[in-house]
């Protein structure tokens, strides 16, 4: 087929036009082999610009298109749609970034112009070897598996369930609600949490589109986004339940740091030393008291227990410690409360206001290190070094320890079952901390709440809503799902069966054919990352739209 390459340079308002001599660029590429037209335009991504491009493609019979404009991240899809509307395959097009990679970073106009010419020539050299790729669609299952019956899992279940979408909620304990069931109130509003949670659980019970498995564990997740096969094993039941879903959400919560690893705080060695969760339960019972039944008159709250051992701040400990001060002052107004902390984590206006309203008479905040709890007569002695480096001690009736937040004990097992990785601190790893905080490296598997890292209740609910929104937008009942077309391919004749590609595949898209002794790519799962191509020692692995010839020609022009 005769290649007719059209090159269009965007002025991008003043962004490119003021830093690059566009007329010189047009003249430099007009005579290149295969180029039939070169034009400049003020703003190609505008409605008028897109219309202009469509008309130009049809007018000149263009088969391959090069756009010199901005970042592919911003407008690659925009110009692919233009190609489709004009009747050419969208993969017969290449975008040269002469804004971010040229105009915005090169002060000298002559140098910027020379660089723009090289980038456009590189795009022309590459696009000559582009092949048409066809979009593929698969049937998808709109049902969702949610692992974890805490506030995140419950909230997501209610947002997702509909007559067209079945929700399977799996909880490993015997009841729903998670850790929040032990809380009397939540901060900073200090509103009772139990009635809200109970109502949500009642709503779930009434919803025939939600099936709940308690005392159960997920044993197997096989498949890919849109088509996962699930096995759930209920305790004391021999046969696992089996069903299919299109997406998986991990809302497994977290645990508290094991205080046995910090014996200096005297936990389980001396009476009247409580963990944060134990104190929550005590307060919920209606009475705060010592082991002998008496009311404590002095209480120490020790923040950041286990922070040094874990290597990170758990974010929520300072705030729930402030809530504990409210509990104490509500039930024992004249109690002396001393907070021992290394750094206070109080993010945001509402939390700062909560802090300001909480501190006051008989409430001390002591910045300290080397905190140790011992017994002295009938009191607990807090030994510490203050911020001036002086050794001090304080006698109190009760000690509350605020331990670090860490992943659940089964996090590694679940990560392997779900085919996702673990990140800092052992929590499930998100795809991108800012851009995709609820997505994972495995398409269709989402993480929310404390499964992804320490989080308060409001942030947990927001995250569960965000993940539910992603699922609602991508798994639409009755609609087929478009899959990646720029996938990898492994040549049967070149594959030596070393399995290196399998070990580097981030998506689990490559399997080994034992009969043929070769690796095989499942194009439905493959996302075209190219890891296998880079690692393959025999050259058997290639990536569609990123072939050796395409990249080689692009580099040849770029480095001239």
């Amino acid at each position: 087929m005769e290649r007719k390459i059209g090159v269009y340079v965007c002025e991008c308002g003043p962004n490119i036009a003021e830093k690059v001599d566009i007329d010189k660029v047009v003249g430099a590429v007009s005579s290149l082999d295969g180029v039939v037209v070169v034009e400049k335009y003020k703003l190609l991504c505008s409605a008028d610009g897109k219309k202009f491009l469509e008309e130009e493609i049809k007018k000149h019979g263009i088969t391959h298109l090069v756009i010199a404009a901005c970042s592919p991240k911003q407008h690659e899809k925009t110009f692919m749609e233009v190609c489709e509307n004009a009747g050419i395959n969208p993969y017969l097009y290449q975008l040269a970034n002469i804004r971010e990679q040229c105009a915005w970073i090169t002060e000298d106009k002559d140098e910027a112009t020379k660089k723009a010419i090289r980038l456009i020539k590189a795009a022309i050299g590459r696009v000559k070897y582009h092949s048409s790729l066809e979009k593929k669609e698969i049937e998808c299952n709109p049902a969702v598996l949610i692992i974890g019956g805490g506030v995140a899992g419950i909230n997501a279940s209610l947002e997702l369930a509909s007559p067209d979408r079945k929700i399977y909620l799996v909880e490993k304990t015997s009841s729903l609600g998670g850790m929040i069931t032990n809380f009397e109130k939540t901060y900073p509003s200090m509103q009772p949490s139990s009635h809200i949670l109970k109502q949500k659980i009642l709503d779930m019970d009434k919803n025939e589109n939600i099936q709940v498995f308690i005392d159960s564990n997920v044993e197997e997740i096989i498949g890919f986004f849109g088509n996962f096969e699930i096995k759930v094993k209920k305790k004391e039941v021999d046969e696992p339940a089996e069903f299919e879903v299109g997406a998986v959400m991990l809302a497994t919560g977290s645990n508290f740091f094991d205080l046995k690893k910090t014996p200096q705080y005297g936990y389980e060695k001396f009476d009247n030393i409580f963990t944060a969760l134990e104190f929550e339960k005590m307060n919920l019972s209606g009475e705060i008291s010592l082991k002998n039944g008496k009311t404590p008159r002095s209480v120490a709250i020790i923040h950041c227990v286990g922070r040094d051992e874990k290597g990170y701040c758990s974010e929520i400990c300072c705030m729930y410690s402030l809530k504990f001060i409210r509990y104490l002052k509500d039930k024992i107004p004249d109690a002396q409360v001393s907070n021992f902390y290394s750094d206070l984590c109080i993010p945001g206006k509402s939390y700062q206001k909560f802090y300001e309203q909480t501190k006051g008479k008989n409430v001390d905040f002591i910045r300290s290190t080397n905190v140790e709890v011992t017994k002295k007569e009938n009191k607990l002695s807090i030994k510490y070094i203050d911020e001036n480096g002086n050794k001090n001690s304080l006698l109190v009736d009760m000690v509350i320890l605020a331990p670090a937040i860490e992943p659940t004990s089964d996090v590694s097992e679940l990560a392997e079952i779900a085919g996702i990785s673990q990140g800092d601190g052992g929590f499930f790893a998100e795809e991108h901390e800012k851009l995709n905080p609820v997505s994972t490296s495995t398409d269709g598997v989402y993480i929310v709440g404390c499964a992804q890292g320490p989080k308060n209740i409001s942030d947990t609910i927001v995250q569960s809503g965000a993940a539910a929104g992603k699922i609602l937008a991508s798994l639409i009942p009755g609609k087929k799902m478009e899959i990646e077309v720029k996938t990898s391919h492994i040549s049967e004749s070149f594959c030596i069966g070393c399995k290196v590609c399998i070990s580097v595949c981030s998506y689990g898209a490559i399997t080994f054919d034992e009969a043929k002794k070769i690796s095989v790519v499942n194009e439905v799962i493959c996302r075209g990352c190219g890891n296998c191509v880079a690692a393959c020692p025999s050259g058997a692995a290639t990536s569609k739209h990123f072939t050796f010839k395409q990249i080689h020609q692009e580099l040849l022009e770029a480095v001239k």
Side-chain angles (χ1 to χ4, degrees):
M1 181 186 74
E2 181 188 0
R3 288 172 173 77
K4 293 183 178 181
I5 303 171
V7 180
Y8 294 89
V9 184
C10 183
E11 295 181 1
C12 196
N15 286 290
I16 296 173
E18 288 185 358
K19 294 293 185 69
V20 174
D21 187 336
I22 294 180
D23 290 331
K24 194 171 183 178
V25 170
V26 171
V29 300
S30 294
S31 60
L32 294 179
D33 184 43
V35 175
V36 295
V37 59
V38 182
E39 295 281 358
K40 64 179 181 180
Y41 197 85
K42 290 183 178 179
L43 203 62
L44 286 173
C45 64
S46 66
D48 288 341
K50 289 185 283 185
K51 184 179 179 182
F52 165 76
L53 278 174
E54 288 181 30
E55 291 172 350
E56 285 284 297
I57 290 169
K58 294 173 183 177
K59 174 182 173 182
H60 297 284
I62 291 170
T63 62
H64 294 67
L65 180 68
V66 170
I67 302 290
C70 56
S71 167
K73 281 191 174 182
Q74 192 165 5
H75 281 303
E76 185 174 61
K77 288 185 177 180
T78 300
F79 298 124
M80 288 180 77
E81 289 176 4
V82 167
C83 290
E84 287 184 297
N85 293 337
I88 65 172
N89 189 282
Y91 295 96
L92 299 179
Y93 134 81
Q94 181 67 15
L95 180 58
N97 184 355
I98 64 168
R99 189 179 71 178
E100 285 85 347
Q101 293 182 355
C102 186
W104 282 0
I105 62 170
T106 311
E107 289 298 324
D108 185 271
K109 189 168 185 176
D110 287 338
E111 286 299 317
T113 302
K114 289 176 184 177
K115 187 175 182 182
I117 291 170
R118 290 202 307 274
L119 289 173
I120 296 170
K121 284 183 175 180
I124 294 170
R126 186 191 208 281
V127 82
K128 290 178 182 179
Y129 296 93
H130 281 201
S131 300
S132 297
L133 299 178
E134 300 303 325
K135 291 183 179 179
K136 298 178 181 179
E137 293 182 328
I138 59 169
E139 299 284 350
C140 63
N141 190 324
V144 181
L145 165 67
I146 298 176
I147 307 174
V151 64
I154 291 170
N155 188 69
S157 297
L158 291 170
E159 288 200 20
L160 287 166
S162 72
D164 295 322
R165 191 188 310 277
K166 181 88 173 180
I167 305 301
Y168 301 92
L169 178 67
V170 178
E171 167 57 42
K172 64 184 177 182
T173 68
S174 58
S175 61
L176 298 178
M179 205 174 286
I180 194 175
T181 56
N182 301 296
F183 303 166
E184 180 195 3
K185 296 176 181 178
T186 59
Y187 67 80
S189 66
M190 294 303 286
Q191 294 298 311
S193 56
S194 58
H195 71 277
I196 299 172
L197 188 64
K198 286 176 182 176
Q199 185 57 54
K200 285 183 177 288
I201 294 174
L202 285 173
D203 291 342
M204 284 182 58
D205 290 339
K206 295 174 185 176
N207 196 319
E208 59 185 20
N209 302 304
I210 301 175
Q211 183 174 350
V212 177
F213 297 84
I214 57 171
D215 288 320
S216 302
N217 291 290
V218 175
E219 284 194 332
E220 193 171 81
I221 300 173
I222 297 176
F224 46 87
F225 189 26
N227 294 275
F228 289 106
E229 295 177 5
I230 311 296
K231 284 186 181 179
V232 173
K233 184 73 166 57
K234 186 176 176 65
K235 295 173 186 176
E236 299 178 3
V237 176
D238 293 333
E239 290 298 317
E242 298 184 17
F243 49 88
E244 295 180 356
V245 299
V248 176
M249 189 185 299
L250 292 161
T252 49
S254 60
N255 283 342
F256 281 117
F257 174 75
D258 184 1
L259 294 175
K260 291 177 182 177
K261 297 177 182 177
T262 49
Q264 67 267 32
Y265 297 110
Y267 181 68
E268 293 187 337
K269 183 178 180 181
F270 306 120
D271 291 339
N272 301 317
I273 300 177
F274 303 96
T275 68
L277 188 58
E278 288 169 346
F279 183 71
E280 285 276 15
K281 292 178 179 178
M282 180 193 298
N283 178 71
L284 191 62
S285 71
E287 183 180 1
I288 298 173
S289 62
L290 302 173
K291 190 174 181 181
N292 60 12
K294 293 183 178 180
T295 300
R297 296 301 168 188
S298 54
V299 179
I301 302 175
I302 302 178
H303 299 222
C304 307
V305 176
R307 175 175 177 166
D308 291 341
E309 287 75 10
K310 299 306 296 184
Y312 55 81
C313 170
S314 292
E315 299 181 28
I316 64 173
C317 316
C318 290
M319 291 307 302
Y320 73 62
S321 294
L322 294 178
K323 181 178 71 169
F324 291 170
I325 298 173
R326 297 285 188 98
Y327 286 165
L328 287 161
K329 287 299 183 180
D330 284 347
K331 291 182 171 63
I332 316 169
D334 61 344
Q336 176 69 41
V337 184
S338 302
N339 289 265
F340 293 85
Y341 72 97
S342 57
D343 291 294
L344 279 178
C345 181
I346 306 174
K349 293 185 292 184
S350 62
Y351 295 154
Q352 182 67 31
K353 184 178 180 181
F354 186 71
Y355 165 68
E356 296 293 340
Q357 292 173 341
T358 301
K359 68 179 184 178
K361 185 179 178 181
N362 295 334
V363 178
D364 294 328
F365 288 87
I366 305 169
R367 194 164 197 168
S368 53
T369 58
N370 298 80
V371 178
E372 182 182 357
V373 182
T374 60
K375 190 81 171 178
K376 188 172 183 180
E377 298 175 357
N378 294 324
K379 297 271 190 177
L380 293 166
S381 175
I382 314 293
K383 296 179 180 179
Y384 63 97
I385 297 176
D386 64 24
E387 59 184 334
N388 296 317
N390 300 317
K391 290 183 179 180
N392 286 285
S393 64
L394 180 71
L395 295 178
V396 296
D397 297 327
M398 176 186 285
V399 170
I400 304 167
L401 302 176
I405 304 297
E406 63 182 15
T408 56
S409 57
D410 58 354
V411 63
S412 296
E413 181 184 354
L414 279 171
E416 186 174 351
I417 290 171
I420 61 175
S421 54
Q422 292 170 256
D424 294 342
F427 294 94
F428 296 126
E430 67 278 354
E431 185 177 7
H432 191 285
E433 185 178 2
K434 300 297 183 185
L435 301 179
N436 270 316
V438 297
S439 300
T440 68
S441 57
T442 297
D443 228 5
V445 178
Y446 302 91
I447 52 175
V448 298
C450 290
Q452 185 250 348
K455 234 165 249 75
N456 60 36
I457 293 168
S458 59
D459 287 347
T460 292
I461 292 172
V462 167
Q463 272 206 331
S464 70
K470 279 184 169 286
I471 293 170
L472 290 170
S474 55
L475 282 178
I476 301 170
K479 187 176 180 180
K480 291 184 178 181
M481 188 168 63
E482 190 175 304
I483 60 173
E484 178 62 64
V485 298
K486 294 179 282 189
T487 56
S488 294
H489 172 74
I490 295 175
S491 168
E492 288 191 19
S493 38
F494 288 155
C495 182
I496 58 175
C498 66
K499 301 182 183 178
V500 170
C501 54
I502 296 175
S503 67
V504 299
C505 180
S506 302
Y507 301 95
I510 306 176
T511 55
F512 192 72
D513 187 328
E514 292 292 348
K516 294 182 178 180
K517 301 298 179 185
I518 60 169
S519 294
V520 180
V521 176
N522 184 335
E523 293 190 355
V524 174
I525 305 176
C526 178
R527 291 295 172 266
C529 70
N531 283 357
C532 58
V533 181
C536 180
S538 67
T542 56
S543 183
K544 296 175 183 177
H545 206 62
F546 293 93
T547 65
F548 175 82
K549 188 170 284 187
Q550 289 167 350
I551 295 172
H552 182 244
Q553 290 299 318
E554 187 174 17
L555 288 173
L556 279 179
E557 295 294 341
V559 299
K560 281 184 179 179

